[in-house]
Amino acid sequence: MKTWVLFDWGDTLMQVFPRYAGKMKDWPQVAEIPGARKALHALHGHVGIALATNAADSEETDIRQALERVDLNAFIKHVFCFRTLGVKKSTPAFFESVRERLHVSADHLVMVGDDFQEDVEAARAAGLWAVWFNARTSENAAGERYTTIHHLEALPAVLLGWGLLPKH
């Protein structure tokens, strides 16, 4: 069964600039998180790549337009957002809906995000693997089916270690 990696959007793939409001696609400035392109390129073609976000201002087309501005859209096969699913990422129902739409078991889903509660704890409660992307501090958290990375470039090695990324 194919593994799918779900990336959070804000402060995981793309930088959030608090001084801007509204839809990210309309912000005067957008930027990818350092290492995002390299990580996505390393995974592309070996696992499914999707985006899972709580963003309330944006729909899938808005999110894709923002991703396009930094040339990351082509890597993302599916976008799962609050406005489409109608449930918050902090609930198991969000991940259950994603799992059903991808036709995959929780054992083959990995959530990667910067918010420990919403990205790691919520994903684990739904039976997924989880990676806490902690670029802000040196704090590490790890346990059964979850770990911490401080740079996105470290993600392929984590997936390989878990047996979720085919050796290539």
Side-chain angles (χ1 to χ4, degrees):
M1 182 175 281
K2 183 178 189 174
T3 296
W4 281 87
V5 179
L6 308 171
F7 285 91
D8 176 51
W9 183 30
D11 284 335
T12 300
L13 286 183
M14 293 184 70
Q15 292 182 25
V16 172
F17 297 103
R19 65 184 171 272
Y20 302 134
K23 297 178 181 193
M24 187 184 288
K25 73 175 184 79
D26 298 327
W27 291 359
Q29 174 188 13
V30 295
E32 69 184 72
I33 293 292
R37 179 178 322 283
K38 188 173 181 180
L40 290 170
H41 183 72
L43 297 176
H44 192 256
H46 304 288
V47 297
I49 300 172
L51 190 138
T53 180
N54 267 338
D57 288 340
S58 300
E59 297 179 52
E60 179 177 354
T61 55
D62 303 320
I63 293 166
R64 288 198 175 277
Q65 287 174 13
L67 289 165
E68 190 64 45
R69 288 182 63 190
V70 293
D71 295 322
L72 295 182
N73 187 48
F75 293 106
I76 310 298
K77 179 78 173 167
H78 298 285
V79 172
F80 301 105
C81 60
F82 171 74
R83 294 190 84 188
T84 302
L85 300 180
V87 289
K88 288 283 192 181
K89 191 170 56 172
S90 57
T91 66
F94 181 95
F95 292 105
E96 181 62 23
S97 181
V98 169
R99 191 193 65 69
E100 288 174 359
R101 290 168 190 240
L102 292 176
H103 307 288
V104 66
S105 74
D107 287 337
H108 291 276
L109 270 175
V110 180
M111 180 66 208
V112 179
D114 68 304
D115 186 303
F116 192 81
Q117 289 299 113
E118 293 209 357
D119 296 318
V120 175
E121 290 297 328
R124 288 184 61 233
L128 280 66
W129 297 84
V131 176
W132 181 30
F133 171 55
N134 178 9
R136 292 188 174 99
T137 73
S138 60
E139 182 182 355
N140 287 302
E144 188 175 336
R145 297 173 66 109
Y146 76 99
T147 195
T148 302
I149 59 173
H150 300 281
H151 306 280
L152 287 173
E153 296 98 322
L155 183 60
V158 168
L159 299 178
L160 193 59
W162 284 342
L164 297 172
L165 180 65
K167 293 181 181 176
H168 49 278

